[in-house]
Amino acid sequence: MVPPRMRRLLRGPRPEATPVVVGTACTLIGLLDVASGIFPRFRGSRFHTLAEVLPGAISSLAAAASIVVGLLLLMLAHGLKRRKRRAWAAAVGLLPVGVAGQLLYRHSPGGAVLSLLLLALLLRRRAEFFALPDPRSRWKAVANFVVLGGVSLALGWLIVAVHPGPMVGSPSVEEQLEHVLWGLFGFEGPVDYTGGVDYTVGYSLGGLGLLTVATTAYLAFRPAHPVARLTEDDERRLRELLDRHGGRDSLGYFALRDDKGVVFSPTGKAAVCYRVVSGVMLASGDPIGDVEAWPGAIERFMEEARTHSWTPAVMGCSETGGHVWTRETGLGALELGDEAIVDVADFTLSGRSMRNVRQMVKRIERNGYQTRVRRVRDLDPEELEVIQRAANAWRDTETERGFSMALGRIDSDKDGDAVIATAHRAPEDGEQPGPFGDLRAMQHFVPWGPDGISLELMRRDRGADPGMNELLIVATLQAAGEVGVERVSLNFAMFRSALARGERLGAGPVLRGWRGLLVFLSRWFQIESLYKFNAKFQPRWEPRFVVFRNNRDLPRIGLAAMQAEGFLSLALPRSPRRRPAAPPSGRQQPPSGGRVRRREERVA
């Protein structure tokens, strides 16, 4: 009887491993094509007789074709690993050209055979390359021009430099680079060669320039494949689910962000909201709706990820959500941190543990600050506009942050049940009023079922007294009964349990080392400060998890999450500009990100 492992070996590679094998082979063959087109010494000697019969232009064109095909195969390798159908079609069309280049210029039957074997494998496994395109933007054309232009310049200089024998004279590096630049645009440069090498170098440089222009034009003018967005019907259905089941998850209301897509269960009783970032299909929080219908929505989510060959991941789901996700999909889960939740009935400023918060609040109140806590629907339009303008002006960065725990707007029409807490201080005698009157700080809370709210945004005037965030949180908790609130979800603290256990007496060296690393990283990411800020209010901690497919996906998921939250941007940098203290008068766009501040920032 043949053991199972031996049977797997006899059957050959697993079908799911084929795209990885094909992508790796495509990379190797692409490098071989580029090297054979650049370095003349790579040519063998068996077919020199054939080469003498062929016209010289064919050999020169074959060298340029070999380089261009090699670069294109390198660009397609990642798409083949992700099962992209268009990458498969392009590779099938390019490989025969690469074979011709191998035979006509390099005279290498071995390289041609490798390309033909890869072509045969692609044709045989064509059913495994089914993935649809990713969402894309015009910025990819600019990035392609910059990156591929730099690569073409480097390869062009290498092409010029590796033909020193037939080169006339000893041109300097500056002259060689000038020759490359002229050659990329299809003109002759200052460097001359003997023995017909001019044609080989000229065609190769021209091919690189044409490749850069052609791929940039294709990316710029290809049909758009937009990112999924919530439609009006999607939003209506999600609000109906939240009305019935919104009290189960404090992050449920954040599913109504405009930049999220959604998939519903077959019954329509549950939904999963997501965003695609760098090939990662990133869901946030638990599914929306009836827990019994979650498996249907999760299955639709996984089908969508498989159709596009996206990496599925979930950020910030609860323990119940983590159990359902792992049970239905076979994915793994890792504790990401804890959410701070304060039960209003248990909150008090009395006691030694609340001494620091109590003293800070009393000091600020003595300085003349007053607070107001109201539903957004109860604000006058003029006051709401001032708050919107202030929130925009008080943002620390040009990039709005937030995804999992941020709504991205302050809107009385869509989100009238949200709660606004504001801090005010009238100007003293002789003091000029600020651009927003007496408003000095604000906080925005979104609904969490019929009796809860979840902190979404914290902004304050940098000239206000320290402690504005503590003041407004305490004011919200004390006024919660007036607005019908029984529980308040505060910030999310990443790796809270590791920080808490690592500072206890008797903690082991591994735990202390892990805590030390987190404290060190807190210089750039608000990890320890968020934990300490949340702990001031004596909350109960609810763990949150990240759900992922395998360990090697974690770095990619982490980068995608940082992009979604606004901590990492792969867009081209913009020229710095000074933001005015207040936007111009008139109706302004509401803020579109998470709570952004220097020391307290909600991180998912």
Side-chain angles (χ1 to χ4, degrees), residues 322-334:
H323 280 301
V324 177
W325 274 100
T326 55
R327 184 188 70 223
E328 296 296 326
T329 63
L331 301 177
L334 182 68

Side-chain angles (χ1 to χ4, degrees), residues 338-341 491 493 496 530-531 534-535 539-543:
D338 295 89
E339 179 185 10
I341 298 176
N491 291 327
R496 182 207 64 87
L530 273 176
Y531 160 54
N534 294 334
R540 58 183 170 90
W541 300 99
E542 294 291 338

Side-chain angles (χ1 to χ4, degrees), residues 63 79 126 136 144 167 188 231 239 277 350-351 429 445 511:
R126 60 185 177 275
R136 54 196 178 218
N144 177 84
M167 191 180 297
E188 294 185 3
T231 64
R239 288 186 181 274
V277 182
S350 303
D429 295 339
F445 299 80
L511 194 55

Side-chain angles (χ1 to χ4, degrees), residues 57-229:
I58 292 183
S59 181
S60 301
L61 284 173
S66 181
I67 297 173
V68 171
V69 169
L71 287 176
L72 288 173
L73 290 176
L74 291 174
M75 296 168 64
L76 294 171
H78 181 65
L80 290 173
K81 290 182 179 180
R82 295 184 57 205
R83 304 173 183 268
K84 294 298 183 181
R85 185 68 180 180
R86 292 186 178 180
W88 175 88
V92 168
L94 285 172
L95 283 171
V97 180
V99 171
Q102 290 280 351
L103 292 176
L104 294 178
Y105 179 68
R106 186 171 175 253
H107 315 306
S108 170
V113 169
L114 289 177
S115 298
L116 290 173
L117 288 176
L118 178 59
L119 178 62
L121 182 60
L122 283 171
L123 294 174
R124 181 181 179 185
R125 299 287 192 177
R126 60 185 177 275
E128 297 179 27
F129 298 88
F130 52 80
L132 299 178
D134 289 345
R136 54 196 178 218
S137 68
R138 304 303 182 192
W139 285 111
K140 289 187 177 181
V142 180
N144 177 84
F145 179 78
V146 174
V147 175
L148 191 56
V151 171
S152 298
L153 184 63
L155 290 180
W157 180 76
L158 192 60
I159 291 171
V160 172
V162 296
H163 292 81
M167 191 180 297
V168 177
S170 299
S172 63
V173 175
E174 291 78 8
E175 292 175 327
Q176 294 179 19
L177 290 176
E178 183 184 353
H179 188 84
V180 172
L181 289 174
W182 283 109
L184 292 176
F185 289 96
F187 300 103
E188 294 185 3
V191 179
D192 293 322
Y193 296 89
T194 60
V197 177
D198 279 320
Y199 292 101
T200 302
V201 174
Y203 282 127
S204 299
L205 295 177
L208 288 173
L210 181 62
L211 174 65
T212 303
V213 173
T215 54
T216 300
Y218 167 75
L219 293 174
F221 298 106
R222 64 180 175 174
H225 190 73
V227 179
R229 290 288 190 271

